[in-house]
Amino acid sequence: MNQVNNYLCGLSLRFPKQIIWLSALLLLVCTFGLHKLVKDTSVDAFIPKDHPSITARDKVQEVFGLKDPILVSLQTHKDGIFDKEYINALNSLHHEIERLDNIRADRLKSLVSEPYIEGDELSLTIEPLIKDSHLTNTAEVIKNKLKNMPIFIGTLVTEDFSASMIVVELNDQKKAEDSYQQILALSKKYNTDTITVHVAGQAAVSSYFSKYIDKDARKVQPLAFATIIILLFVAFRKIKAVISPVVVIVAAALGTLGLMAWSDVPYYAITGALPVVLVAISVADAIHILSAYYKYQAQDPLLSTRQLIEKSLAEMSAPITVTSLTTMAGFLALAASSIMPPITYFGLFAALGVFIAWLFSMLVLPAILLLMNLAPSSIFAETTHSKSNNLLGPWLSRFSMLSLRFPYLISLILAGIIAASVYGASLLTIDRVQIENFTAEEPIRMAHDHINKDYAGAYYLDVVIRSAKQDGVLDPEVMSNVVELQQFLNQQPNVTKTLGLTDYLGLLDNLFEGRSINVGKVTLPDSAEAMAQYLLLYEMSSSIEDFADEIDNQYQQLLIRVYVNADSYVTQKPIILAAERYLQDQFCQGCEGITYELSGRVNVDYHWMERLQSSHFTSVIITLITVGLIASLLFRSFNIGVISLLPVVVTVTIVYAVMALTGIALEPSTSMFAAIAIGIGIDFSIHLQERLIVGKQKGHTLEQSIERYFPVATRACFFNAFGLGLGFSILMLSALPTLQRFGLMISVACLTSFFAALLIIPLGNRVLENIRSSLFITKMKWVSSSTIIILVLGLSAYSSKSKAEEDLAVETIIQNVWQREEAQTISRYIEMTMTTASGKEQKRFANVLRINNEVNRKSLIRFTKPLKVKKTTLLTYDYLNKNKTDEQWVYLPALKKTRRIPSSSRGKAFMGTDFSYEDIKSDLKFDPSEYEFSLIEKREDGYIVQGVTKTKELTESLGYHKMEVLIDSQSWLPMSLKFFTKGELFKHIEVKEKKKIEGIWTATIISARNLRSNHNTEFRYSNISFSNPIDPKLLSVSRIGGN
Amino acid sequence: MLKVVKKGIILSLFSFAVSAEVNITNKLRWQNIQSEISLNYLSLQSSLQIEVTEYSNIEGKLKLHSSDTEGMFQKQHKAEVEELFWTWAEDDFNVKVGKQKITWSQMDSLTPMELISARDFHQSILLEQEDTNIGQWMVNWNKYNTDSNWQVLLMLNPSVHELPSDNDHFALKASKLRFGFPYQPSLELSVQQEKPKNISFATKWQKYYDGFELSTGMKYGADYSPTAQLLVLESSEPPTLYLQYSPYLSLISSTSIQLDSTVLRAEVIYSPNRMFATNTQSALGKSREEQWLIAAAVDFNGPFDSFVNAQLLIDHISSPHVNQVRDATELISTLTISKKFINEQLTAKFSAYVSQEEDSLIKFDINYLFTDELEINLGVADFYGDHEGVFGQYQGNNRAYFQMNYYF
C-alpha cells in the first residue's frame, strides 16, 4: 500500500503540470457524458425486471391489458354529481383526454364510457350509462341507474356520489410523465368553484419525483457545494487553500456522474443524493492532507513546498487510503446486498466516486499544492504553539482524555447509552408509504388522500385464477370458490372492494331471475353452460370486450381486482399473507387443474419490501465484517480492528434508536444509511487509532499520545465530521422527504461516530492495555470474543425449511410418477461426465449404494476415480419428514476421518455437477404436496405437465419457481424436466436412456444442462442391481470409512 | 495372476495369494513460495494398493521429497514411506498392521487436539494437515456395529513431532514454543534424544445417535512434544541437551450435533499428568501438570453459498508450575470461509487464525482444477502480531505461493 502511495506522490511531484492537464482532460471526457444522462423516476425502477412479482404483473398486463393507471377524479362541492354542469364537465374532460396522445382510448373508463345493463327474464339491454340526451335532461336518470350498478360504486363513483373518476391507461408507460402533465393541464380548465379535479396514480407519482429531482439539482446540490467551500475556508482561513479540495470535490462528483452517464445508468430518484454524498465525503481526504501540510509548515517554516507535501503525504497517505477503502467497502457492501438497481448503482458509483476522490487527493492535489506554493495559515501557527487561541483541537483532546481520567464513569455512561439504543433500535419498523414522500399540501398527496378516503382506494392487488382447460374458470365450483375468496378478501382490513367477473354474472343473474340488487351478496347461475350463455347474451347486446379486465377470451383465466386504500407496506403485508394463506389452504381444494397467482402493484411492492428487510441486515453485517477486517489488517491487530469498529456499531445502534423514536421507518432510502455510516464513520476511528499507535511506537503513554497528537488529528477529524454532517444535512433541504430523512440520519451518524470515536478509541486502548497485563482477563477476552464470533456466525447460519404440506394433489399423472415403483435397495456404478461450454471434460466415477425405507433414504457414494477424490465417501440420510433436516457425512481418506457436514439447501449444486441435491435425492419424482401442477399438453408418448412451487420458501430453497416436465406414460419416468427461475429457463434435465431392470423402469443415462453457463453433466449408471441385499450396516456412519 | 493396472509400470510381486490386483497412482507436487527468497519443493507421492484377496490388501504411500527449506537453494532430499500397511477385513472388523496415518481429532488443523498423529512442523500451518501428519507403525483394530464402532491402536516405536532446525524458515522463534531451550544443537551444545517408550496404546469407542454422535477414548504413551534437561557429563565438555518424551495418559471425548443445517462439534482432552518444560534461571526442568484441551467448532452454509467454519481452542494447565515455559492458558480461534465457483473447479478460501497473543495468520487461497489430473493453488499468507505468539513468531515469513499438483 505504501509503495503505491509513494509512487503516486512521486509521480505527482515529478510531473505536476502534466498530471493536472491529464486529469482535466479525463474529467472533461467524463463530464461530456452528462448529456447522455437520463432520468428514471418510476417506482418500477427499484425492482429488477426479472423479479417474479414483476413477471407476474407483466403477464397479467399481457392477458388482461391492465396497467397502472392515472386516476382523474372530479369532486363536486355541491350536493352531488347529478347536475347538468358536472355531467357536462365529466363528459367533456373524458373526451378531451381520449384525444390525447399515448392514451388507450378503448380502455378509458368513466361513467361516460361504461355500460348500463338492464333486463328481465326475457331480454337484456345494454346501453351507455350517460347518453348525450341526458346532458340536457335531468341527471336523476343517471342516479337511478347507478344505484342498480353497484360495481361502479367505489371504483368510478364515490358512495356518496360526491365525485366520479376517469381511469386513464397509457400505451407507453415510459411516457407517463408527459401524459400526466398533459392531463394536469387539461384538468386545470375544469377546476371551478364547484368542481375540483384531482389527478393521482402511479404515473403521477413518478412525474412528481422527476419534478422534485430537478428542484434538488437546482437548490440542494449547489448549496452543499457552497457549504463545503465555506467550511474549508473556516478550517484553513486561506482562499487558496480552498482551491485544491474543490478540484477533488468537482472531480469526484462530475467524474462519477459522467461515468454513470457513459455507462447508460439512469439518474434515479435516490441518485439525487449522490452528488451531495460525494461532495461531503471527498472533501475529507483533502482536509487531512492540508491539515498536515499546514501543521508542518507552521512547525518548520524553512521546509520547501515539496518537502512539506512529501511529509504530509508520508503521514496521511496510509490513513486516507485505508479510510477510502473502508468507505468504498461500505458502499460496495450496499451495492452487493441490494436487489434494487437504484441502490446497487448508488453503492457502485459512490464507491467509484470515493476512489476518484482518493486518486485526485493523492495525485492531483499534491500537484496543485506544489504549483500554488501556499502561504502559512495563521490558524495552524496557533494550533502548533502552546499558547493557542484556537481551542478546538485541545478542547476535543481534553474531551477524549475524559475517557482515560474517568474510565468507569464513561464506560457506565456509554453502556447506558448503548443499552437504551439497543432497546430503541428493537422498536424499529420496516415500512414504506410512498405517498408520504409528498407533503400534505401537495396536490398529488391530496389527490391520493381523496381517492383512498372517498373511493375504494388507489392501490390494487390482483388475484389471477387459471385453469388448464378452456372454459375451465366458468366451472360453478370454481366460481363459487371465487365468490367465497372475494368475500374473504372483502373482510380484510383496508380492503374496501373486490371486483371480478362474478360481480357481473351476479348482476346478470339478478336481472334474469328478476331479483332486486342486494349489495354484498352475489348469486351466480348454477351451471357453467348458464354462465357461458349469459356472457354470450351479453356479447350479442354489447361487446364482450367489456369484460376484458375480468376474464380472457378462452375463459381460462380470471382476474379479481382487490382495492386497497392504504399505501403502507405494514398495512398491505397482512392482506397479501392472508390472501396467500387462503388461496393455499382453502381455495378450490377439490377443483381440478386450477392454479392461482397474485399480481398487481400491491403484490409488487410487498415483495420488494420483503427483500429489503432481509438484504438490509445482511448488508450491515457484511459491511461491518469488511471494514473490521480492513482495520484489523491495517493495524495488524484483531483487537484494534474491533475497537475501531465499536464507535460505528454504537453509532448505527443509536441512529436505529433515533429512527424508531422519531417514527422513521426503514425503507429503501433510509436503509442505505447504515452501510454508508459504517464506511464513513470508521474513518475517525482509524485516524485517531493511527495517532495512538504512532505515539506508542515512540514510547508515549496513551495520555501523552493524546496530548501530543490529538489536537491536530481531532481538529481535522472534527472538520471532516462537521463537513460530512453539514454536507449531508443539506439533503434535509431536499424536496423529497425520503432524502430529507436520509440526510438527517447520515448527519447524525457522522457526528455521533466522531464523538463516539473520541471516547471509545482511547478507552478501548486503555482496556486493551489492562487486559494485556491481566492473564485472567486475557482468557476471558479471547473466550468471549471467539464465542461472539462463533455465535454471530452461527446465528447467521439460518436455513429455511420448506413448509410441510399435507394435502395431496389430485392429478393422476403426478400420482403415478410419485408412486412409481422403486427398489428398496439399489447398488450401481456411476460415471459422471462434466463438460464445460468450451468442451473440456471432467469425470468422476463412484460406487453408489442406496436403501429406501419408511423413515429415510440412505445413500453412500464412494468415489473410485480420479485420484484426487479416490475413496472419498459421502453418506447421506434424506428424511421423508420434511421437518427433519437431512444429515450428511464425508469420509476423508487422507486423514482417515469421518466428518459430519452441514446439509446443503435442496437447490444447491451436487458436488459441482449441474444436478442439484434435490435432483439427486428426488430420484426423478416430485412431491405433489409441494407443487401446483397443471396439464399443458397431452402427447402420444406422454404428458407435458407444469409444476409451480406452492410456497415462496420452497422456491427459495429449490432455486426455481416452475418446472415443465415431459412424463413418459409407459414408465411414468420424467423424460425431460425444464426448470425456470424468474420466468427464465435455466436448467434442462433429460433422461437419455431408460431400461427396465428387474421389472423396474430405471433411467440409465441422464443429463443436466445449465443453460446460463452452458455447462453439462451426464450420469451413466451401470452394474445396476435392485435385488442384491445390502447390509444396512454398510450405510451407517460407524463404518463409512471401513471395509 | 498379477494384474498391473497402471500403464507403463510393471511391478514384481511375490505373493502367496492366488490373485492380486495392483494399483499404482502418483501425485507430483511442485511448490514455489515467493518471499524474500525463493523456496521450491518437488514431491512425488506414489500410492500403492494391492488387492491380495477379497478380504486382504496392502496399501502404501511413498514420498520422494526435495526442498530447500534449510536455506536458500540448499536442497534437501528425502525419501520416505508415509504409509505401508496390510489390511485383513472381515464383515464386522478389520485389522491393519503397518505404518499408518490416523487422525482422531474432530477439529481442523488444531495440532494440540490431535492425539494419534505427530506432525511435521517444517512448513508449519501453510500445508494441510493431511500433508504434515507423520505415519506411525501400529496395529489398528476396528470393530464395526450398526451404529457404533470401536478402535484399538497399539503403536510400536511411536513417532514424535518433527521440529524445524534453527536455520529453517519456520524455525520456532517464540521462546515459550522452543520449550525453553534451543531445541536443535548449536556448535556449543550437543544434543541427546531419549527414545520414546516403545509402545503407546489408544482406544476409542464411537456411537452414532439420531442427529448426533459421541465418542470417548484414551491414550497412554509417549508425548510428541519434548521436555529437556541440560546434562554436564564432563566439566571440560559443553553441556548436553537431553530431550525426553515422557509418557502420559489422556482421556478424550468428542461429539458432533446437527442443529437444523448447522453442525456443531466439540472435543475435550483431559491429561491428568502431562509433563511440561520449566526454566528456572536457565536451569531446565520439567513438571507434571493437569491439562485440559477444549475445542468447539461450528460449520454452516453461509451467505452467497459459502461454507463457513469457526473453531475455538482452549489449552489450559490447571495449576501451572511457577517457572513453566509455556503460558498456562493458550487460546486459538480460527475462521475459514470458502466458496466454490465454476462447478467446483475453482475454490476460494479465506482463513484466519488468531491466538491469544493477538497474533494472526491470514491466508487466502485459490485452487483451480485445470483437468482431473492437474490442479494449481495460488495463495498468500500473512503472519503478524507478537513475536512470542504461535503465528507472530513467523513474522517476516509473509508469502505468496504457487503450487501445482499433477495426478497420474
Side-chain angles (χ1 to χ4, degrees), chain A residues 636 772 782 793 799 840 843 871 886 895-897 899-900 903 1036 1038-1039 1043, chain B residues 59 83 90-91 94 103 108 145-146 213 258 261 265 300 354 358 370 372 384:
Chain A
R636 298 298 170 106
R772 280 176 182 148
W782 278 94
L793 294 171
S799 164
K840 197 175 86 175
K843 284 183 185 284
K871 289 190 183 176
D886 297 339
L895 289 170
K896 296 192 180 60
K897 181 157 100 171
R899 177 158 168 183
R900 185 191 280 272
S903 59
S1036 66
S1038 60
R1039 57 191 304 167
N1043 301 333
Chain B
E59 286 176 60
E83 283 190 295
E90 288 293 336
D91 275 352
N94 64 32
T103 315
D108 297 330
N145 302 314
T146 304
E213 54 243 22
Q258 175 149 340
S261 60
R265 290 176 277 126
F300 59 89
V354 186
E358 284 185 39
F370 270 106
D372 284 338
Y384 66 82

CSV table of all heavy atoms in Angstrom, one decimal, chain A residues 636 772 782 793 799 840 843 871 886 895-897 899-900 903 1036 1038-1039 1043, chain B residues 59 83 90-91 94 103 108 145-146 213 258 261 265 300 354 358 370 372 384:
chain,number,residue,atom,x,y,z
A,636,ARG,N,-2.8,-4.5,12.0
A,636,ARG,CA,-2.2,-5.8,12.3
A,636,ARG,C,-2.7,-6.3,13.7
A,636,ARG,O,-1.9,-6.8,14.4
A,636,ARG,CB,-0.7,-5.8,12.2
A,636,ARG,CG,-0.1,-5.4,10.9
A,636,ARG,CD,-0.5,-6.5,9.9
A,636,ARG,NE,-0.2,-6.1,8.6
A,636,ARG,CZ,0.7,-6.7,7.9
A,636,ARG,NH1,1.5,-7.5,8.4
A,636,ARG,NH2,0.9,-6.4,6.6
A,772,ARG,N,-4.0,-6.9,28.6
A,772,ARG,CA,-2.7,-7.5,28.3
A,772,ARG,C,-1.9,-7.8,29.6
A,772,ARG,O,-1.1,-8.7,29.7
A,772,ARG,CB,-1.9,-6.6,27.4
A,772,ARG,CG,-2.3,-6.7,26.0
A,772,ARG,CD,-1.5,-5.8,25.1
A,772,ARG,NE,-2.0,-5.9,23.8
A,772,ARG,CZ,-2.0,-4.9,22.9
A,772,ARG,NH1,-1.6,-3.7,23.3
A,772,ARG,NH2,-2.4,-5.1,21.7
A,782,TRP,N,-10.5,-13.6,25.2
A,782,TRP,CA,-10.5,-14.4,24.0
A,782,TRP,C,-11.6,-15.4,23.9
A,782,TRP,O,-12.1,-15.7,22.9
A,782,TRP,CB,-9.1,-15.1,23.9
A,782,TRP,CG,-8.2,-14.2,23.3
A,782,TRP,CD1,-7.3,-13.3,23.9
A,782,TRP,CD2,-8.1,-13.9,21.9
A,782,TRP,NE1,-6.7,-12.5,23.0
A,782,TRP,CE2,-7.1,-12.8,21.8
A,782,TRP,CE3,-8.7,-14.4,20.7
A,782,TRP,CZ2,-6.8,-12.3,20.5
A,782,TRP,CZ3,-8.3,-13.8,19.5
A,782,TRP,CH2,-7.4,-12.8,19.4
A,793,LEU,N,-21.7,-15.9,13.7
A,793,LEU,CA,-21.7,-16.7,12.5
A,793,LEU,C,-22.7,-17.8,12.6
A,793,LEU,O,-23.4,-18.1,11.6
A,793,LEU,CB,-20.3,-17.2,12.2
A,793,LEU,CG,-19.2,-16.2,12.0
A,793,LEU,CD1,-17.8,-16.8,11.9
A,793,LEU,CD2,-19.5,-15.5,10.7
A,799,SER,N,-31.2,-21.5,8.0
A,799,SER,CA,-31.6,-22.3,6.8
A,799,SER,C,-33.1,-22.4,6.8
A,799,SER,O,-33.7,-22.8,7.7
A,799,SER,CB,-30.9,-23.7,7.0
A,799,SER,OG,-31.6,-24.5,6.1
A,840,LYS,N,-14.4,-28.9,-22.5
A,840,LYS,CA,-13.5,-29.5,-21.6
A,840,LYS,C,-14.2,-30.5,-20.7
A,840,LYS,O,-15.3,-30.1,-20.1
A,840,LYS,CB,-12.8,-28.5,-20.8
A,840,LYS,CG,-11.5,-28.9,-20.1
A,840,LYS,CD,-10.8,-27.8,-19.4
A,840,LYS,CE,-11.3,-27.6,-18.1
A,840,LYS,NZ,-10.6,-26.6,-17.3
A,843,LYS,N,-14.3,-36.1,-15.3
A,843,LYS,CA,-15.0,-37.3,-15.0
A,843,LYS,C,-14.9,-37.7,-13.5
A,843,LYS,O,-13.8,-37.4,-12.9
A,843,LYS,CB,-14.5,-38.4,-15.9
A,843,LYS,CG,-15.0,-38.3,-17.3
A,843,LYS,CD,-14.6,-39.6,-18.1
A,843,LYS,CE,-15.0,-39.5,-19.5
A,843,LYS,NZ,-16.4,-39.8,-19.8
A,871,LYS,N,-11.6,-42.7,-2.9
A,871,LYS,CA,-12.0,-43.2,-1.6
A,871,LYS,C,-12.8,-42.2,-0.8
A,871,LYS,O,-13.2,-42.5,0.3
A,871,LYS,CB,-10.8,-43.7,-0.8
A,871,LYS,CG,-10.3,-45.0,-1.3
A,871,LYS,CD,-9.3,-45.6,-0.3
A,871,LYS,CE,-8.6,-46.8,-0.8
A,871,LYS,NZ,-7.6,-47.3,0.0
A,886,ASP,N,-31.9,-33.1,6.7
A,886,ASP,CA,-31.1,-34.2,6.2
A,886,ASP,C,-29.8,-34.2,6.9
A,886,ASP,O,-29.3,-33.1,7.3
A,886,ASP,CB,-31.0,-34.1,4.7
A,886,ASP,CG,-32.4,-34.2,4.0
A,886,ASP,OD1,-33.3,-34.7,4.7
A,886,ASP,OD2,-32.5,-33.7,2.9
A,895,LEU,N,-7.0,-38.3,5.8
A,895,LEU,CA,-7.0,-38.1,7.2
A,895,LEU,C,-7.6,-39.3,8.0
A,895,LEU,O,-7.5,-39.4,9.2
A,895,LEU,CB,-7.7,-36.9,7.6
A,895,LEU,CG,-7.1,-35.5,7.3
A,895,LEU,CD1,-8.0,-34.4,7.5
A,895,LEU,CD2,-5.8,-35.3,8.1
A,896,LYS,N,-8.2,-40.2,7.2
A,896,LYS,CA,-8.9,-41.3,7.8
A,896,LYS,C,-9.9,-40.8,8.9
A,896,LYS,O,-10.0,-41.3,10.0
A,896,LYS,CB,-8.0,-42.4,8.4
A,896,LYS,CG,-7.1,-43.0,7.3
A,896,LYS,CD,-6.4,-44.2,7.8
A,896,LYS,CE,-5.5,-44.8,6.8
A,896,LYS,NZ,-4.5,-43.9,6.2
A,897,LYS,N,-10.7,-39.8,8.5
A,897,LYS,CA,-11.5,-39.1,9.4
A,897,LYS,C,-12.9,-39.0,8.8
A,897,LYS,O,-13.1,-38.7,7.6
A,897,LYS,CB,-10.9,-37.8,9.7
A,897,LYS,CG,-11.7,-36.9,10.6
A,897,LYS,CD,-10.8,-35.9,11.2
A,897,LYS,CE,-10.9,-34.5,10.6
A,897,LYS,NZ,-10.2,-33.5,11.3
A,899,ARG,N,-16.4,-36.9,8.9
A,899,ARG,CA,-16.8,-35.6,9.4
A,899,ARG,C,-18.3,-35.3,9.0
A,899,ARG,O,-18.6,-35.5,7.8
A,899,ARG,CB,-15.9,-34.6,8.8
A,899,ARG,CG,-16.3,-33.2,9.2
A,899,ARG,CD,-15.1,-32.3,9.1
A,899,ARG,NE,-15.6,-31.0,9.2
A,899,ARG,CZ,-14.8,-29.9,9.1
A,899,ARG,NH1,-13.6,-30.0,8.9
A,899,ARG,NH2,-15.3,-28.7,9.3
A,900,ARG,N,-19.0,-34.9,10.0
A,900,ARG,CA,-20.4,-34.5,9.7
A,900,ARG,C,-20.4,-33.2,9.0
A,900,ARG,O,-19.6,-32.3,9.4
A,900,ARG,CB,-21.2,-34.4,11.0
A,900,ARG,CG,-22.6,-34.1,10.8
A,900,ARG,CD,-23.2,-33.8,12.2
A,900,ARG,NE,-23.6,-34.9,13.0
A,900,ARG,CZ,-24.7,-35.6,12.9
A,900,ARG,NH1,-25.7,-35.1,12.1
A,900,ARG,NH2,-25.0,-36.6,13.7
A,903,SER,N,-26.0,-29.9,6.0
A,903,SER,CA,-26.7,-30.3,4.8
A,903,SER,C,-26.9,-29.1,4.0
A,903,SER,O,-27.1,-28.0,4.4
A,903,SER,CB,-28.1,-30.9,5.2
A,903,SER,OG,-28.8,-30.0,6.0
A,1036,SER,N,-24.0,-47.1,7.5
A,1036,SER,CA,-24.0,-46.4,8.8
A,1036,SER,C,-22.8,-45.6,8.9
A,1036,SER,O,-21.7,-45.9,8.3
A,1036,SER,CB,-24.1,-47.5,9.9
A,1036,SER,OG,-22.9,-48.2,9.9
A,1038,SER,N,-20.8,-45.4,11.3
A,1038,SER,CA,-19.7,-46.1,12.0
A,1038,SER,C,-18.7,-46.7,11.1
A,1038,SER,O,-17.6,-46.8,11.4
A,1038,SER,CB,-20.3,-47.1,13.0
A,1038,SER,OG,-21.0,-48.1,12.2
A,1039,ARG,N,-19.2,-47.1,9.9
A,1039,ARG,CA,-18.2,-47.7,9.0
A,1039,ARG,C,-18.1,-47.1,7.6
A,1039,ARG,O,-17.8,-47.8,6.7
A,1039,ARG,CB,-18.5,-49.2,8.9
A,1039,ARG,CG,-19.9,-49.6,8.4
A,1039,ARG,CD,-20.2,-51.0,8.6
A,1039,ARG,NE,-19.2,-51.9,8.0
A,1039,ARG,CZ,-19.1,-53.2,8.2
A,1039,ARG,NH1,-19.8,-53.8,9.1
A,1039,ARG,NH2,-18.2,-53.9,7.6
A,1043,ASN,N,-14.6,-51.2,6.0
A,1043,ASN,CA,-14.3,-52.2,4.9
A,1043,ASN,C,-15.0,-52.0,3.6
A,1043,ASN,O,-16.1,-51.6,3.6
A,1043,ASN,CB,-14.6,-53.6,5.4
A,1043,ASN,CG,-13.9,-53.9,6.7
A,1043,ASN,OD1,-12.9,-53.4,7.0
A,1043,ASN,ND2,-14.5,-54.7,7.6
B,59,GLU,N,-1.7,-51.6,1.4
B,59,GLU,CA,-1.7,-50.2,0.9
B,59,GLU,C,-0.4,-49.5,1.3
B,59,GLU,O,0.1,-49.8,2.4
B,59,GLU,CB,-2.9,-49.4,1.5
B,59,GLU,CG,-4.2,-49.8,0.9
B,59,GLU,CD,-5.3,-49.1,1.6
B,59,GLU,OE1,-5.4,-47.8,1.6
B,59,GLU,OE2,-6.2,-49.8,2.2
B,83,GLU,N,3.1,-44.3,4.4
B,83,GLU,CA,2.2,-45.4,4.9
B,83,GLU,C,2.6,-46.7,4.2
B,83,GLU,O,2.9,-46.7,3.1
B,83,GLU,CB,0.8,-45.0,4.6
B,83,GLU,CG,0.2,-43.9,5.5
B,83,GLU,CD,-1.3,-43.8,5.3
B,83,GLU,OE1,-1.7,-43.4,4.2
B,83,GLU,OE2,-2.1,-44.1,6.2
B,90,GLU,N,-12.8,-58.5,7.8
B,90,GLU,CA,-14.0,-59.4,7.8
B,90,GLU,C,-15.2,-58.5,7.8
B,90,GLU,O,-15.1,-57.3,7.8
B,90,GLU,CB,-13.9,-60.3,9.0
B,90,GLU,CG,-12.9,-61.4,9.0
B,90,GLU,CD,-13.2,-62.5,7.9
B,90,GLU,OE1,-14.4,-62.6,7.6
B,90,GLU,OE2,-12.2,-63.1,7.5
B,91,ASP,N,-16.4,-59.1,7.9
B,91,ASP,CA,-17.6,-58.3,7.8
B,91,ASP,C,-17.7,-57.2,8.8
B,91,ASP,O,-18.0,-56.0,8.6
B,91,ASP,CB,-18.8,-59.2,7.9
B,91,ASP,CG,-19.2,-59.8,6.6
B,91,ASP,OD1,-18.6,-59.3,5.6
B,91,ASP,OD2,-20.1,-60.6,6.5
B,94,ASN,N,-11.9,-55.2,11.1
B,94,ASN,CA,-10.6,-55.3,10.3
B,94,ASN,C,-9.4,-55.0,11.2
B,94,ASN,O,-9.5,-54.4,12.3
B,94,ASN,CB,-10.7,-54.3,9.1
B,94,ASN,CG,-10.7,-52.9,9.5
B,94,ASN,OD1,-10.1,-52.5,10.5
B,94,ASN,ND2,-11.4,-52.0,8.7
B,103,THR,N,-6.1,-40.1,12.1
B,103,THR,CA,-6.5,-38.8,12.8
B,103,THR,C,-7.7,-39.0,13.6
B,103,THR,O,-8.7,-39.6,13.2
B,103,THR,CB,-6.9,-37.8,11.7
B,103,THR,OG1,-5.9,-37.9,10.6
B,103,THR,CG2,-7.0,-36.4,12.2
B,108,ASP,N,-10.1,-29.1,12.8
B,108,ASP,CA,-9.2,-28.9,11.6
B,108,ASP,C,-8.0,-28.1,11.9
B,108,ASP,O,-8.1,-27.0,12.4
B,108,ASP,CB,-10.0,-28.2,10.5
B,108,ASP,CG,-11.2,-28.9,10.0
B,108,ASP,OD1,-11.2,-30.1,10.1
B,108,ASP,OD2,-12.2,-28.2,9.6
B,145,ASN,N,-20.2,-52.1,14.5
B,145,ASN,CA,-21.5,-52.5,14.8
B,145,ASN,C,-22.4,-51.5,13.9
B,145,ASN,O,-21.9,-50.6,13.2
B,145,ASN,CB,-21.9,-52.3,16.2
B,145,ASN,CG,-20.9,-53.2,17.1
B,145,ASN,OD1,-20.7,-54.3,16.7
B,145,ASN,ND2,-20.3,-52.6,18.1
B,146,THR,N,-23.7,-51.7,14.0
B,146,THR,CA,-24.6,-50.9,13.2
B,146,THR,C,-24.4,-49.4,13.4
B,146,THR,O,-24.2,-48.6,12.5
B,146,THR,CB,-26.1,-51.3,13.4
B,146,THR,OG1,-26.2,-52.7,13.2
B,146,THR,CG2,-27.0,-50.6,12.4
B,213,GLU,N,-23.5,-37.6,17.3
B,213,GLU,CA,-22.6,-38.7,17.7
B,213,GLU,C,-21.7,-38.4,18.8
B,213,GLU,O,-21.5,-37.2,19.1
B,213,GLU,CB,-21.8,-39.2,16.5
B,213,GLU,CG,-21.0,-38.1,15.8
B,213,GLU,CD,-21.4,-37.8,14.4
B,213,GLU,OE1,-22.6,-38.1,14.1
B,213,GLU,OE2,-20.6,-37.3,13.7
B,258,GLN,N,-26.0,-31.9,14.9
B,258,GLN,CA,-26.6,-31.1,13.8
B,258,GLN,C,-27.8,-30.4,14.4
B,258,GLN,O,-28.8,-31.0,14.9
B,258,GLN,CB,-27.0,-32.1,12.7
B,258,GLN,CG,-27.7,-31.3,11.6
B,258,GLN,CD,-27.5,-31.9,10.2
B,258,GLN,OE1,-26.5,-32.7,10.0
B,258,GLN,NE2,-28.3,-31.7,9.3
B,261,SER,N,-29.4,-26.9,9.8
B,261,SER,CA,-28.4,-27.2,8.9
B,261,SER,C,-27.0,-26.8,9.4
B,261,SER,O,-26.1,-26.7,8.6
B,261,SER,CB,-28.7,-26.6,7.5
B,261,SER,OG,-28.7,-25.2,7.7
B,265,ARG,N,-19.4,-29.0,16.6
B,265,ARG,CA,-18.5,-30.1,17.1
B,265,ARG,C,-17.8,-29.6,18.3
B,265,ARG,O,-17.5,-28.4,18.5
B,265,ARG,CB,-17.5,-30.4,16.0
B,265,ARG,CG,-18.1,-31.1,14.8
B,265,ARG,CD,-17.1,-31.3,13.7
B,265,ARG,NE,-16.9,-30.1,12.9
B,265,ARG,CZ,-15.8,-29.6,12.6
B,265,ARG,NH1,-14.7,-30.1,13.2
B,265,ARG,NH2,-15.7,-28.5,11.9
B,300,PHE,N,-21.3,-24.1,8.9
B,300,PHE,CA,-22.6,-23.9,8.3
B,300,PHE,C,-22.4,-23.3,6.9
B,300,PHE,O,-21.4,-22.9,6.5
B,300,PHE,CB,-23.4,-22.9,9.2
B,300,PHE,CG,-22.8,-21.6,9.4
B,300,PHE,CD1,-23.0,-20.5,8.6
B,300,PHE,CD2,-22.0,-21.4,10.6
B,300,PHE,CE1,-22.5,-19.3,8.8
B,300,PHE,CE2,-21.5,-20.2,10.8
B,300,PHE,CZ,-21.7,-19.1,9.9
B,354,VAL,N,-6.1,-16.9,14.9
B,354,VAL,CA,-5.7,-15.9,15.9
B,354,VAL,C,-5.4,-16.6,17.2
B,354,VAL,O,-6.1,-17.5,17.6
B,354,VAL,CB,-6.9,-14.9,16.1
B,354,VAL,CG1,-6.5,-13.8,17.0
B,354,VAL,CG2,-7.5,-14.4,14.8
B,358,GLU,N,-2.7,-12.0,20.3
B,358,GLU,CA,-3.1,-11.0,19.3
B,358,GLU,C,-2.3,-11.2,18.0
B,358,GLU,O,-2.1,-10.2,17.2
B,358,GLU,CB,-2.9,-9.6,19.7
B,358,GLU,CG,-4.0,-9.2,20.7
B,358,GLU,CD,-3.8,-7.7,21.0
B,358,GLU,OE1,-3.5,-6.9,20.1
B,358,GLU,OE2,-4.0,-7.4,22.1
B,370,PHE,N,-7.5,-27.6,-13.4
B,370,PHE,CA,-7.5,-27.5,-14.8
B,370,PHE,C,-8.1,-28.7,-15.5
B,370,PHE,O,-9.0,-28.6,-16.4
B,370,PHE,CB,-6.0,-27.4,-15.3
B,370,PHE,CG,-5.6,-26.0,-15.4
B,370,PHE,CD1,-4.7,-25.5,-14.4
B,370,PHE,CD2,-6.0,-25.1,-16.4
B,370,PHE,CE1,-4.3,-24.2,-14.4
B,370,PHE,CE2,-5.6,-23.8,-16.4
B,370,PHE,CZ,-4.7,-23.3,-15.4
B,372,ASP,N,-8.8,-33.2,-14.5
B,372,ASP,CA,-8.9,-34.2,-13.4
B,372,ASP,C,-7.5,-34.5,-12.9
B,372,ASP,O,-7.3,-34.9,-11.8
B,372,ASP,CB,-9.6,-35.5,-13.9
B,372,ASP,CG,-11.1,-35.3,-14.0
B,372,ASP,OD1,-11.6,-34.4,-13.3
B,372,ASP,OD2,-11.7,-36.0,-14.7
B,384,TYR,N,1.2,-12.0,11.3
B,384,TYR,CA,1.5,-10.7,12.0
B,384,TYR,C,1.2,-10.9,13.5
B,384,TYR,O,0.5,-11.7,13.9
B,384,TYR,CB,0.8,-9.5,11.4
B,384,TYR,CG,-0.7,-9.5,11.5
B,384,TYR,CD1,-1.3,-9.0,12.6
B,384,TYR,CD2,-1.4,-9.8,10.4
B,384,TYR,CE1,-2.7,-8.9,12.6
B,384,TYR,CE2,-2.8,-9.8,10.4
B,384,TYR,CZ,-3.4,-9.3,11.5
B,384,TYR,OH,-4.8,-9.2,11.6
